[in-house]
Each structure stands twice: as C-alpha cells, then as structure tokens.
Amino acid sequence: MSSDFSRSLTLLRKEKGISQRAVAKELGISQALLSHYENGIREPGLKFVTRACDYYGVSADYLLGRTLSRDGTTIVDAESLYDYSAEKDNVLRGSIMATLSKKLLVNSVGILFDLLGRTGSKEAIKAASDYLGTAVYRLFRHLYRAGGNNNEDFFAVPVRHFVGGLPNADMLCSEVDYVDALAVHMKEKGEFPLLNHDTLSAAYPGAYQSLLQIIHNTGERINHRMDARRADAR
C-alpha cells in the first residue's frame, strides 16, 4: 500500500484533533496497530479501510491517495473543472489590488496555454503547467506556514525539503523541460503561431492588454532590481 495511505490516515486523525488511542478504540484495533498503519509499517485489510472511510467520512480512493477529492470524484475532462475566471464582477474579498492582479495573471496564462495548445506540443504544455503549478504551490505554502500554527502534514513534501529549496529546483527542471520541448517542436514541425503585436491583438482583443501589462511590469521590476544592485556595488 502506498505511503499516501499512511499520510492520509494520519492527517485525517490530526484534523479531528483526536489521539491515536481514541481513534484506535473507535475503529476496534489497538493503538500500536494504528501507529503501525499511520507509519506505514504494516498494511491494513479491506475491513479496516472500510471502517476508517466511514469513520472519517471520506472515500477509499481519497484514503488511498488516488484522488484529492474526499468524496472520491475525479476530474474527467477540462469541461468538468470549475473556471474561476468565468465569474463576472468577482472582486476578491476587500481587495481591488488582488482582483486586478488575479485578472492580469488569469488572462495572460490563458493566452499562454491557448498558444501552446495551437502548437500541439503536449510536452511543452505539461512543462508549463508543472512550472506554474509549483510557483502557486510555493506561494500558497509560504502563506500557509506564515502563521506558524498550521499543520504541515497537509503537504507531501517534508518541511526540510521545502525550506531547503526543492520546489525551486523543480521549477528549474520544469523550465528546462519546457525549453527542450519547444526546441523539439521546432525541429520536428518548424512552425509556431504568429506572435507579432497585430496578430495577438486580433486573436485576444481583451486579454492581450493583460499580457502586455505583465510584460511591462515585469520588465520594469527586473531592470529596477538590476539598477539597485549596480548602485549598491559602486
């Protein structure tokens, strides 16, 4: 049985704030045996898995690490995903800045993946998704742990690996995969969607302004950092 099972079993108990002794009693086993299950030392039978699912109110797929949804549902296709960007006039709680930043990024990422979709390179799409996914992961986890009281068993990557920069390395590897995938596409097919200003303006009349803003803001910020470094070096 995968390590996801033992981690999920432990996390569910900690979320309830219940001791191993109390849970073991409810599930009809010894505390020592539950400890072995939670530490991945022993594998339980189907009867225990069923009891644990009923006790915690989750599906077997969730407990076994086969889905992130506690009721066992999985994402079948792109249409089944909730699209946050489709909500109109949605202002993030009390923050115009957060709403503006979200819209700039959502619009720009939308253009990026539409263009990648036109290339047909699944490898480039996956690498881009991995890179951006890890960026979101890093920012969310920093926010999650900033308060100092949240249980980080929620995350599969150990704290020492996160703090040591493992997600940073993952982003670098994903970027290398992305560049390689684009190079392979160029070699094999030799064509990309037109990316000049007029073509992009016509293809994405609203969203393209967001991409331009992202490009401008990022360029200004990077140049400002470089100017500040040069000034400090003098």
Side-chain angles (χ1 to χ4, degrees), residues 6-83:
S6 56
R7 189 174 72 85
S8 297
L9 191 65
T10 304
L11 177 59
L12 288 167
R13 178 178 60 78
K14 290 182 176 181
E15 281 183 349
K16 279 181 169 288
I18 305 175
S19 68
Q20 278 188 343
R21 177 178 296 180
V23 172
K25 183 178 180 180
E26 291 289 334
L27 295 178
I29 61 174
S30 68
Q31 181 181 349
L33 184 55
L34 178 60
S35 177
H36 286 166
Y37 290 163
E38 290 190 356
N39 289 302
I41 298 173
R42 293 185 60 180
E43 292 188 358
L46 181 59
K47 187 176 181 180
F48 173 82
V49 173
T50 302
R51 286 204 306 267
C53 288
D54 291 340
Y55 179 72
Y56 288 117
V58 298
S59 71
D61 278 338
Y62 177 81
L63 194 58
L64 296 174
R66 290 166 53 86
T67 177
L68 294 177
S69 175
R70 298 196 178 202
D71 63 2
T73 56
T74 57
I75 297 171
V76 178
D77 50 43
E79 285 70 28
S80 66
L81 272 174
Y82 170 70
D83 188 359

Side-chain angles (χ1 to χ4, degrees), residues 82-106 143:
Y82 170 70
D83 188 359
Y84 191 79
S85 63
E87 292 190 2
K88 295 182 179 180
D89 302 322
N90 180 35
V91 177
L92 300 182
R93 298 181 181 181
S95 177
I96 299 300
M97 175 65 76
T99 300
L100 175 60
S101 298
K102 180 263 297 185
K103 288 184 177 180
L104 288 176
L105 288 168
V106 167
L143 176 64

Side-chain angles (χ1 to χ4, degrees), residues 116-126 181-182 185 189 192:
L116 288 174
R118 293 186 187 186
T119 69
S121 173
K122 294 180 179 179
E123 293 77 13
I125 293 171
K126 182 182 183 304
L182 294 178
H185 177 79
K189 297 189 176 180
F192 284 91

Side-chain angles (χ1 to χ4, degrees), residues 183-204:
V184 168
H185 177 79
M186 182 63 187
K187 182 178 180 180
E188 293 180 351
K189 297 189 176 180
E191 60 181 16
F192 284 91
L194 291 176
L195 300 179
N196 60 60
H197 178 77
D198 291 340
T199 301
L200 292 174
S201 295
Y204 312 101

